Amino acid sequence: MDISHAQNATTEEKRRDAIAVMVDTALQRGDFTYTEALLLPEPFRSHVFEHLDGVRLQGGVPQYGAAQVYEMPPVRLLAVNPRHDIQYSEWHQTRIPGTQQQAPREKRIVKLGSDATVRDMPGERLPRRILRQHGWPNRNVASNGNNIGTVVEWRWLELAVNSPDATDEIRELHAALKARIDAKDGTADTKPTTRSKSAPPTQAQL
Amino acid sequence: MAGLTAASSIADALKTQAMSGVSEAIFRNQEVMGRFTRVPFTGGANLNVKLNYGGNTSVATYSEGDAAGVPGSQSYLTANFGAQYYKMGIQITGHARDQLRNGSPGAAFYNQIELEFTSGMKDLTDKISTDMLGTGLTPPVGIQGIVDSSGTLGGIAPGTYTWWAAYEAAGAATTIAISDLDGATQNSRDAEYAADITEIWVSWKQQNKLKGVIGNPGVANNSVQIQTGQNINLTGTSQPITYDGLPIIPIRDLTNSIVLGLSMPELFLGVMRDYQVDPLGKTDDSDKFLVTCAFGLGTKNRKKHWKITTLTA
């Protein structure tokens, strides 16, 4: 995505408009990816998501649902390491059996397996959240290499490997993941499972 | 049996006896609210925090003769933190006031009327404190909701604004390890989060787990040490321990499943209404009072904190 128009915009409103046009154009071409959006510098990254989430600012305060909210297609995510699970945390609250009392809310880990096609529901935007926290290569870039992303957006990788400036690293990663996809032949298990307390994930899996 | 015996004869003559005062057999958390800097609301329903999240977009290198280009500007957003109102009602009937002689020590072992107020205030503070240790994202906002990688806080969703999220990671195992603290610290301290953590909050159990890690021979724990005070007591319950110079503070009522790294200057306790006692109008022989207050927890920068989760052992 080319942000030069947005960079040259003379007002904040025009900058947002330029980003909106850029996003819509990429969506129409079919080459919009969250990875590329997450690699954009601020404030452009936030403007992209504001546009997709239908956010307008009123006195500097985000107003959700003020504009069209984009229904995005499911996003296929792959763990770089096939032995690792794509995972995220969510709040859980359960009723204590045999009572009307609620147990305190606590965080639990949800595993999606190493190959998951994740729905991108407005309000939740789970693929975006997973990539923001664990995406490759945006985690590497954002953290100056202190953190290495563990999850790849397959659509982005397909586009990246076909671009003229694709690196050997990209080609190797694409080849490895393509082989995994072909081997599984669409049998990827995307059913969420709650983390078992007896089998916690390693730090590297997160 | 003849004669004066304690077993059967003195009950009529003996006043009911009790030690003076009242012993509290109930835990009321009074340890949380005072940890936050109090900030008064300045009008309106919300305490607003202005966030500068994007820099000047015109910053660039240039070569001789290049055009000046289009000027850029900073980008701002506003987070809104509200307050939660709390109340408590107190009633003292005329009969109770008369028979207690208005709290006179000659008539009662303790001033029950005064205690209704002082203990009731503690109950109110306990409720507020418990809420502040909770997971709320809207009033009552809790510290676990603030220090989280997801969830709309202050009207800002991290799904849209990716910089409005705390660093969060699950523990490598269900038991806290030094590597968990190392991971959270190295990530939150570096440029992306640029956090200056000032305190680590844990449950009492997790604090003792960390003491156990220190005590295990052969465990790499260079970054953790017991503060060299006058006395070090590994079996004590209140000896401060530190991680990389940061105090590890046990907090009662904090869930055992998490460890929080907090930048305290970035947290605030919004005071919409401080504790206020108002007498209510007479409708009978009773004196009635309404105690109210309104507080709201918030943060000036969500990503300046971190959280380790899923610690169950």
Side-chain angles (χ1 to χ4, degrees):
Chain A
M1 290 185 283
D2 179 11
I3 60 171
S4 58
H5 282 92
Q7 278 179 315
N8 292 325
T10 52
T11 66
E12 191 174 316
E13 190 180 349
K14 287 179 180 174
R15 190 170 69 203
R16 282 191 163 82
D17 289 343
I19 289 291
V21 170
M22 180 191 78
V23 170
D24 288 343
T25 304
L27 286 169
Q28 286 165 8
R29 281 199 310 258
D31 60 5
F32 175 85
T33 64
Y34 276 147
T35 301
E36 192 174 359
L38 287 164
L39 284 166
L40 292 175
E42 293 292 2
F44 307 113
R45 184 196 316 162
S46 290
H47 292 345
V48 169
F49 297 139
E50 283 172 343
H51 181 58
L52 294 175
D53 295 346
V55 176
R56 291 283 181 269
L57 295 188
Q58 192 172 341
V61 179
Q63 306 294 316
Y64 284 83
Q68 179 192 356
V69 180
Y70 282 62
E71 297 280 348
M72 302 292 283
V75 179
R76 186 168 196 174
L77 303 175
L78 290 145
V80 175
N81 186 329
R83 289 171 297 172
H84 290 173
D85 280 317
I86 300 164
Q87 49 190 328
Y88 63 96
S89 65
E90 68 176 16
W91 289 105
H92 262 262
Q93 186 167 35
T94 53
R95 186 172 56 78
I96 299 169
T99 74
Q100 296 301 314
Q101 299 294 316
Q102 295 285 326
R105 294 176 79 209
E106 63 175 16
K107 279 277 173 130
R108 290 190 183 171
I109 300 298
V110 178
K111 293 181 176 180
L112 298 173
S114 63
D115 180 350
T117 301
V118 184
R119 294 181 69 189
D120 192 24
M121 304 288 289
E124 185 183 53
R125 301 298 194 191
L126 191 53
R128 193 189 299 174
R129 185 178 149 204
I130 292 170
L131 287 169
R132 170 171 58 85
Q133 291 181 281
H134 308 297
W136 190 98
N138 55 287
R139 285 298 307 145
N140 314 27
V141 174
S143 66
N144 294 318
N146 287 294
N147 236 323
I148 305 298
T150 57
V151 178
V152 175
E153 182 182 15
W154 178 243
R155 177 66 183 140
W156 171 80
L157 192 59
E158 279 189 311
L159 292 167
V161 79
N162 290 316
S163 70
D165 55 353
T167 61
D168 289 343
E169 188 182 21
I170 294 279
R171 291 194 193 91
E172 286 169 14
L173 181 60
H174 181 268
L177 296 183
K178 183 77 166 61
R180 266 169 54 194
I181 289 172
D182 291 344
K184 290 184 81 170
D185 196 24
T187 58
D189 179 13
T190 60
K191 185 181 177 184
T193 56
T194 300
R195 167 181 158 182
S196 163
K197 288 180 181 176
S198 61
T202 64
Q203 188 71 29
Q205 286 176 301
L206 300 172
Chain B
M1 181 183 287
L4 180 65
T5 66
S8 61
S9 305
I10 67 171
D12 288 339
L14 199 63
K15 286 182 178 176
T16 304
Q17 294 296 309
M19 295 169 72
S20 63
V22 174
S23 182
E24 292 189 15
I26 176 176
F27 171 64
R28 302 179 178 96
N29 197 323
Q30 314 288 299
E31 304 162 6
V32 177
M33 287 181 70
R35 295 186 178 277
F36 301 109
T37 303
R38 292 163 69 101
V39 178
F41 276 67
T42 52
N46 294 307
L47 202 48
N48 298 327
V49 178
K50 297 289 179 185
L51 303 158
N52 179 194
Y53 75 95
N56 189 312
T57 53
S58 71
V59 173
T61 57
Y62 74 101
S63 301
E64 184 181 12
D66 282 357
V70 178
S73 63
Q74 304 291 317
S75 295
Y76 303 95
L77 214 60
T78 305
N80 298 317
F81 289 95
Q84 178 66 53
Y85 280 81
Y86 295 88
K87 67 174 181 176
M88 173 181 64
I90 293 174
Q91 177 181 15
I92 299 158
T93 66
H95 286 59
R97 191 178 288 281
D98 292 343
Q99 291 178 28
L100 289 166
R101 308 307 299 165
N102 211 17
S104 163
F109 291 112
Y110 55 91
N111 189 338
Q112 193 173 7
I113 294 171
E114 182 185 293
L115 269 182
E116 281 302 315
F117 285 92
T118 55
S119 297
M121 295 289 268
K122 288 182 182 177
D123 292 334
L124 205 52
T125 304
D126 175 73
K127 169 65 176 161
I128 299 165
S129 300
T130 307
D131 285 347
M132 286 180 176
L133 291 175
T135 61
L137 289 163
T138 56
V141 169
I143 192 72
Q144 294 185 64
I146 289 174
V147 187
D148 200 89
S149 64
S150 62
T152 300
L153 177 74
I156 299 176
T160 309
Y161 302 99
T162 55
W163 42 268
W164 189 242
Y167 177 82
E168 178 187 327
T174 52
T175 302
I176 186 70
I178 298 304
S179 58
D180 294 327
L181 299 179
D182 289 341
T185 303
Q186 76 178 36
N187 281 296
S188 67
R189 273 186 175 153
D190 215 329
E192 187 184 4
Y193 291 88
D196 291 316
I197 300 297
T198 57
E199 293 180 7
I200 296 173
W201 284 18
V202 294
S203 67
W204 273 97
K205 180 179 177 180
Q206 293 298 348
Q207 203 223 26
N208 283 317
K209 289 280 181 185
L210 284 166
K211 281 183 179 176
V213 170
I214 297 164
N216 281 339
V219 173
N221 54 33
N222 293 337
S223 52
V224 175
Q225 59 185 253
I226 300 174
Q227 268 186 351
T228 51
Q230 278 73 29
N231 297 299
I232 296 173
N233 178 9
L234 271 174
T235 59
T237 55
S238 59
Q239 293 300 310
I241 59 173
T242 64
Y243 167 80
D244 205 11
L246 305 173
I248 297 174
I249 300 174
I251 303 286
R252 293 189 177 100
D253 280 336
L254 184 65
T255 177
N256 175 59
S257 65
I258 60 168
V259 173
L260 298 174
L262 303 177
S263 177
M264 295 307 286
E266 304 292 341
L267 293 163
F268 60 84
L269 175 63
V271 182
M272 175 71 91
R273 178 189 296 181
D274 215 337
Y275 292 107
Q276 181 174 311
V277 182
D278 293 306
L280 298 179
K282 280 267 192 185
T283 57
D284 55 28
D285 189 29
S286 301
D287 293 321
K288 296 174 188 169
F289 300 90
L290 182 65
V291 184
T292 56
C293 59
F295 297 103
L297 199 59
T299 184
K300 290 182 274 186
N301 199 335
R302 198 181 193 186
K303 72 175 182 180
K304 299 294 184 183
H305 319 285
W306 55 251
K307 176 163 68 179
I308 299 167
T309 64
T310 64
L311 302 167
T312 56

